[in-house]
Amino acid sequence: MDSVVRAVIEAIHSSPTRAVLCLSGGASQALGWLLSVPRASSTVLEATFMYSRASMVQLLGKVPTQSVCRETADEIALEAYNRALELSMPGMQVAGIGFTGVLASIPPKRGDHRCFVSARTQNGLWQYDLTLAKGHRDRYGEDYLTSCLLVKTLANVCGTIDDIPLDLKEGIEKLRETKLVYSEEEQLQQLLSGKICMINFSDRVNSPTSGTRRVVLSGSFNPLHDGHVKLLDAACSLREGGLPCYELSAINADKPPLGLTDIKERSNQFRSGNTLVVTNQPYFFKKAELFPDSTFVVGADTALRLLDPKYYGNSKVRMVEVMLGIRKLGCDFLVAGRKVDEAFKVLADVEVPTEVEGMFQEIPLSLFQSDLSSTQLRAQARQQG
């Protein structure tokens, strides 16, 4: 690694962006460079090198149309981006980097030596295509060049210097660069279609030091009110290093999906520093996969439903299995008192199976007690209207 590449990587590690990298067929030196420069953990969330065909099939969840092409690089980057969302704290800037290439080998390849690099973020997709001059470099040289291109891509995503000379063969090799920008509406459509797993809405950019454990309050937030804010504050006071996060699912288990207008209106309530994540998962066992090692904040009414066997095919065994699966992902629950059928209920009123008792902790009434609800506020608004 020369001094120029090192300087670029130092700038990358100083940026707030964190990334998951998934590579196949080249750019292997880039991983060593990124990891050998101090503060690599500030950038790299995870790195995967797919050498076997089965590895790529498992990542994509399908057999790719072609292993080395523009479409496959974009798909790899998308999977890497979703993985980065799951591994990072809400509100952090993340990217998914996908690389696929075919370089000099033994026996020699028949077709062109080429590579495709993609970088996916919340609002954009960077694409780089390069066909190499066959026979101009050996395998090490081609891998070095593609590694430089990968670092250049990451630098562009991070918004840092990218002064890496690629030393392309004049008149033969030309780098093709494209950037797609996604509007907020396009991002929401990708969420509803299942293409991406979540969207962050926040004016604040969280850093790796903002918190060590997510404290997640899920709800419809129609509207967001003072009770929600005080509940999440109380919950965070019970979790040292807790990072407060609101979660809105665009998909509801018992109601039609939210429309784009509804999501926009509700997300606009969180533009003043609060962190909101919009997901497409209505069930807590799926939320736990999106937010591993997290604490979910729920009311006693939700806790009652969560532990009711009727929602698990009337099987208590199945219910306990699901809850244990949530616990394996490092998740637990803080339970607030809530009025249920005109009676105020607390965790003591919930029948918690012995196997999962340690997953539930009560939020003391001295920290939080409120009868305020979004339903009441909507009713009052209708009366006033």
Side-chain angles (χ1 to χ4, degrees):
M1 172 174 43
D2 64 28
S3 58
V4 174
V5 173
R6 184 182 182 87
V8 171
I9 292 177
E10 288 175 344
I12 289 171
H13 289 345
S14 297
S15 80
T17 301
R18 306 189 83 184
V20 168
L21 301 94
C22 295
L23 317 180
S24 176
S28 62
Q29 294 172 64
L31 292 184
W33 297 342
L34 288 166
L35 298 179
S36 65
V37 175
R39 298 186 64 194
S41 61
S42 298
T43 300
V44 181
L45 289 165
E46 186 176 82
T48 302
F49 206 103
M50 299 170 289
Y51 250 112
S52 71
R53 178 177 173 84
S55 177
M56 182 178 291
V57 171
Q58 286 192 343
L59 176 76
L60 300 178
K62 66 173 187 177
V63 175
T65 305
Q66 189 176 348
S67 295
V68 183
C69 67
R70 162 56 36 217
E71 178 185 358
T72 298
D74 289 347
E75 291 174 344
I76 293 172
L78 181 61
E79 293 297 330
Y81 173 65
N82 279 317
R83 180 67 173 158
L85 288 171
E86 294 172 3
L87 295 177
S88 63
M89 301 299 280
M92 291 180 61
Q93 294 180 0
V94 299
I97 310 296
F99 175 97
T100 181
V102 55
L103 308 182
S105 184
I106 298 174
K109 297 287 193 301
R110 293 182 180 178
D112 290 334
H113 296 181
R114 62 196 186 280
C115 71
F116 301 88
V117 192
S118 296
R120 174 63 201 258
T121 63
Q122 178 166 314
N123 59 10
L125 176 67
W126 283 258
Q127 299 172 320
Y128 299 87
D129 302 358
L130 177 62
T131 298
L132 290 79
K134 201 169 182 178
H136 183 61
R137 305 174 186 85
D138 60 11
R139 172 67 185 223
Y140 179 87
E142 290 188 350
D143 190 81
Y144 183 91
L145 172 60
T146 55
S147 293
C148 288
L149 177 56
L150 187 82
V151 173
K152 178 183 177 69
T153 302
L154 188 53
N156 285 334
V157 169
C158 294
T160 63
I161 57 172
D162 66 342
D163 300 332
I164 299 180
L166 296 182
D167 191 25
L168 300 181
K169 188 171 179 60
E170 189 175 354
I172 298 178
E173 297 175 329
K174 183 177 180 181
L175 180 64
R176 179 183 173 188
E177 305 178 44
T178 307
K179 184 183 179 184
L180 306 177
V181 177
Y182 300 120
S183 66
E184 187 174 286
E185 184 169 312
E186 288 174 317
Q187 294 170 40
L188 291 172
Q189 289 172 339
Q190 291 172 0
L191 176 76
L192 291 172
S193 69
K195 194 172 184 179
I196 57 176
C197 63
M198 66 179 86
I199 300 175
N200 286 307
F201 286 94
S202 176
D203 289 333
R204 177 181 63 191
V205 177
N206 290 322
S207 69
T209 58
S210 299
T212 57
R213 185 176 181 84
R214 308 172 186 88
V215 180
V216 183
L217 176 59
S218 301
S220 59
F221 307 114
N222 184 28
L224 173 70
H225 56 70
D226 193 53
H228 292 132
V229 177
K230 290 181 177 178
L231 174 55
L232 191 52
D233 286 345
C236 285
S237 72
L238 298 173
R239 289 292 181 269
E240 185 178 353
L243 176 66
C245 172
Y246 298 90
E247 185 255 342
L248 168 67
S249 177
I251 310 295
N252 192 294
D254 304 311
K255 301 174 185 178
L258 295 177
L260 296 181
T261 301
D262 292 326
I263 298 174
K264 287 181 180 180
E265 289 178 352
R266 297 184 197 186
S267 64
N268 283 336
Q269 301 174 104
F270 297 86
R271 302 291 187 176
S272 58
N274 295 313
T275 297
L276 169 71
V277 176
V278 182
T279 74
N280 52 16
Q281 296 297 345
Y283 301 109
F284 276 100
F285 73 94
K286 286 295 186 179
K287 295 181 194 291
E289 293 176 0
L290 291 181
F291 304 108
D293 199 28
S294 298
T295 292
F296 293 103
V297 185
V298 299
D301 55 336
T302 299
L304 285 166
R305 291 194 301 272
L306 192 60
L307 296 170
D308 191 337
K310 81 175 185 180
Y311 295 104
Y312 304 85
N314 292 314
S315 170
K316 182 178 179 179
V317 172
R318 176 57 183 158
M319 179 267 289
V320 171
E321 286 178 350
V322 171
M323 297 308 301
L324 290 175
I326 293 174
R327 187 174 71 181
K328 285 182 179 179
L329 290 168
C331 297
D332 60 8
F333 296 87
L334 286 172
V335 183
R338 186 75 185 266
K339 185 179 286 187
V340 182
D341 297 329
E342 302 305 318
F344 192 79
K345 302 284 187 179
V346 295
L347 179 58
D349 300 308
V350 181
E351 184 180 344
V352 182
T354 305
E355 299 93 326
V356 296
E357 277 183 341
M359 295 178 63
F360 293 84
Q361 178 185 345
E362 185 169 71
I363 298 177
L365 295 179
S366 59
L367 282 180
F368 176 80
Q369 183 175 358
S370 175
D371 293 329
L372 192 63
S373 74
S374 296
T375 302
Q376 291 173 336
L377 292 176
R378 290 196 302 272
Q380 292 173 7
R382 285 195 296 270
Q383 290 176 355
Q384 294 171 0

